[in-house]
Amino acid sequence: MINNRELANTFTLIADLLEIKGENFYKTNAYRKAAENLLELSQEAHQIWEDGELQSIPGVGKAIADKIDELLRTGELEFLNRLTAEVPASLAEMVKIPDLGPKKVKLFWDELGITTVEELAEAAKAGKLADLPGMGEKSQARVLAGIEALGRRQTGRIPLGDAWGFGQSQLMFLRALPGVAAAEMAGSLRRMRDTIGDLDILVAAEDSEPVMEAFSSQPNISHIEGRGPTKTSVEFSNGLRAQVWVHPPQRFGTALQYATGSKDHNVRVREQALKKGFSLSEHALTREDGTELLCASEEEVYQAVGLPFIPPELREDRGEVQAGLAGTLPRLIKVANILSDLHTHSTWSDGRGSIREMAEAAIARGRKMLAVTDHSQSLGIGNGLSIERLMAQKEEINQLRQEFQGQITLLHGTEMEIKADGTLDYPDEILAQLDIVVASLHVAMRQPREQVTERMLTAIRNPHVDIIGHPTNRLIPDRAGADLDMEVIFQAAAEHGTALEINANPQRLDLNDIHARRAIELGVLLAVDTDAHAPEHFDFLPFGVATARRAWAAKENVINTWPVEKLLGWLENRPHP
DNA sequence: GCCGTTTTCGGCCCGACTGTTTTCAGTCG
């Protein structure tokens, strides 16, 4: 069955080819928008199709719904076949080259018959591009540079955790420059997406030139892609690209709002601004008579267009503007609300810290409760605990519990394997002796959807299992998660009162934002845990909380925010229908 | 092609930077 990604790729291809053909911008944009929305669905499109509800997908009207229907029924699309007969599909590869768009690609195709990236590189090297209308020596050189850059950038988006540290160091560098009043991260890093395309940084300064000069003179920059008074784009030698904007402090609010995006959110906000009689740009809110309303803070921007402040994590055009207008935005969970970490490891299995060290690290970060959940016996690679070792561990925790009394509550638990054959790794009578049970999938992830989903349901239905750890077991950026029927998982978790984890490790962030949001809608409780394997891993927490915020989670949706007594009561007497 | 508490037809955000141009087109975010 064709999945959402394949559908999205098909519509993106259609958009690219129509654009090269010179089709109306709004029509091509409609295909792109539909593709993006397909990727944001929490369910598979074919399930929606079976219910006959395709047009309930945002951006999908009759024409696109018919095309999805044809693709799902036949695996083919007559419209696309006719289109590729007219415009070679390989041209879509060429528009991915930086600084090349549909107009230039069409020019090379019309004038020189070029249909592939290889032919384009040859033509550029042979000097055939420079004489074309609108082209010149510099543009020809840019084409070659773009093809090289395309090769370098094949790695695509980078994990949030990797971009975070680099972004912070850039912020510190900029904030230390003379004349800089403020510097803030913007773009997808500020919105805390799980992967980051490039860094967007906003600087407040009266005089932009010295800032741009200092920024683009850093030794680890491999080349400067653009350099103007308000915007500079560079590529660092590690392959990461960054853009820096400089605006005067009194315009910082509009500029930060603009640079944070997302693009779709900004379109929505600007529509709202127009209704209030303003044209909104990064510089100001401009009235129809041309006078400007300057905003030093984002709060002022949102207020002026009639909206409450919208937290960056929500700015994805997933209904946040509408909710803001209706006054139904959630009160988002905060890092400071988290009292417990319910999924951590120690040297008993594959952790790098003793239980004592982990407890001390948790106390230092203000946690009130810590669950020690080492791996279970069948996970050999993780030094999983036999029943004998599990019981010995209980002794150690009982002793430490006395020692840490009044500082932190220690729980004895397990991260239990959901085994390949669908059974669980400890018998129920052992699980009954533990304070908390996290059940996770690590092996046989490539089983067919029905089989792996059924394994997960076995764990969810077990009355001793409290939390499902990193439900899909994806790894960012390389490993897709197991092919689970998430809708069925969520319904079962809601029914049995089993919490689903948002694993805060930036390589995991699993559940992701979209799945977690759907889970909340269906009444599922979430657990935000670090899965710490070392004391410093407790610092992953903000990534997990950010993912929960992106899922529109309020404090009460996340069991880690509950007071210790309430959470202990839940673990003890969880309703098990 | 999609969409609607100002619309079922007529809209659909706004600007920076570059290169090739003497006023603008293309690309990008």
Side-chain angles (χ1 to χ4, degrees), chain A residues 349-350 375-384 417 442-443:
Chain A
S349 64
D350 60 352
H375 291 289
S376 62
Q377 50 193 350
S378 79
L379 195 68
I381 196 170
N383 191 23
E417 274 311 291
H442 291 102
V443 296

Side-chain angles (χ1 to χ4, degrees), chain A residues 359-423:
Chain A
E360 286 167 350
I363 291 166
R365 287 161 180 81
R367 299 293 99 78
K368 303 295 182 207
M369 185 147 78
L370 175 69
V372 180
T373 57
D374 278 304
H375 291 289
S376 62
Q377 50 193 350
S378 79
L379 195 68
I381 196 170
N383 191 23
L385 273 61
S386 65
I387 291 175
E388 288 70 29
R389 289 180 65 217
L390 184 67
M391 290 305 138
Q393 186 186 42
K394 181 178 279 302
E395 289 304 310
E396 178 175 327
I397 289 178
N398 281 339
Q399 287 174 14
L400 288 170
R401 194 172 274 153
Q402 305 295 325
E403 196 177 320
F404 285 109
Q405 193 160 24
Q407 298 181 76
I408 195 165
T409 303
L410 292 179
L411 296 180
H412 183 217
T414 178
E415 181 184 15
M416 176 177 61
E417 274 311 291
I418 302 169
K419 295 200 289 183
D421 64 3
T423 63

Side-chain angles (χ1 to χ4, degrees), chain A residues 314 502 512-514 516-517 520 526 546-553:
Chain A
L314 296 187
I502 293 177
N512 69 22
D513 52 354
I514 292 166
R517 184 170 178 196
I520 291 170
L526 299 177
T547 303
R549 288 167 64 86
R550 291 178 56 81
W552 295 46

Side-chain angles (χ1 to χ4, degrees), chain A residues 247 250-255 257-258 266 268-307:
Chain A
H247 286 271
Q250 64 272 23
R251 297 180 188 270
F252 194 66
T254 42
Q257 198 282 328
Y258 159 79
N266 286 354
R268 202 64 81 180
V269 173
R270 286 172 182 181
E271 284 172 5
Q272 194 55 36
L274 285 173
K275 289 179 187 170
K276 292 279 174 184
F278 292 109
S279 166
L280 173 61
S281 78
E282 57 264 52
H283 302 289
L285 285 148
T286 307
R287 299 182 189 90
E288 282 167 21
D289 64 8
T291 58
E292 289 184 327
L293 172 63
L294 305 187
C295 298
S297 73
E298 281 188 321
E299 282 80 359
E300 296 167 60
V301 180
Y302 284 100
Q303 189 180 11
V305 303
L307 285 167

Side-chain angles (χ1 to χ4, degrees), chain A residues 311 313 330-339 367 528 541-542 544-546 548-549 553-556 558 560-561:
Chain A
E313 294 94 330
R331 286 193 56 174
L332 295 183
I333 182 174
K334 300 187 182 102
V335 172
N337 297 142
I338 300 282
L339 303 178
R367 299 293 99 78
V528 178
L541 185 62
V545 171
R549 288 167 64 86
K555 185 179 161 184
E556 50 270 22
V558 177
N560 311 65
T561 67

Side-chain angles (χ1 to χ4, degrees), chain A residues 411-548:
Chain A
L411 296 180
H412 183 217
T414 178
E415 181 184 15
M416 176 177 61
E417 274 311 291
I418 302 169
K419 295 200 289 183
D421 64 3
T423 63
L424 301 177
D425 206 12
Y426 293 127
D428 281 357
E429 57 267 30
I430 297 299
L431 297 181
Q433 298 177 49
L434 297 171
D435 301 320
I436 184 168
V437 176
V438 179
S440 303
L441 205 66
H442 291 102
V443 296
M445 283 181 49
R446 297 194 180 179
Q447 287 175 344
R449 168 176 280 227
E450 274 191 21
Q451 193 177 358
V452 69
T453 301
E454 193 53 45
R455 275 167 76 194
M456 188 61 87
L457 291 177
T458 302
I460 289 172
R461 289 173 186 143
N462 184 298
H464 299 291
V465 172
D466 303 297
I467 299 171
I468 301 297
H470 49 72
T472 75
N473 200 29
R474 73 163 174 168
L475 285 181
I476 302 169
D478 298 325
R479 186 174 77 198
D483 183 19
L484 293 161
D485 187 334
M486 298 308 286
E487 195 75 2
V488 168
I489 301 281
F490 297 153
Q491 281 162 5
E495 181 187 346
H496 293 274
T498 309
L500 300 183
E501 183 176 77
I502 293 177
N503 191 293
N505 185 321
Q507 284 191 303
R508 293 193 180 273
L509 299 179
D510 178 13
L511 300 172
N512 69 22
D513 52 354
I514 292 166
H515 283 145
R517 184 170 178 196
R518 179 65 180 157
I520 291 170
E521 281 172 5
L522 293 174
V524 177
L525 289 168
L526 299 177
V528 178
D529 298 315
T530 63
D531 196 0
H533 282 67
E536 67 272 18
H537 290 176
F538 286 111
D539 296 328
F540 290 156
L541 185 62
F543 299 118
V545 171
T547 303

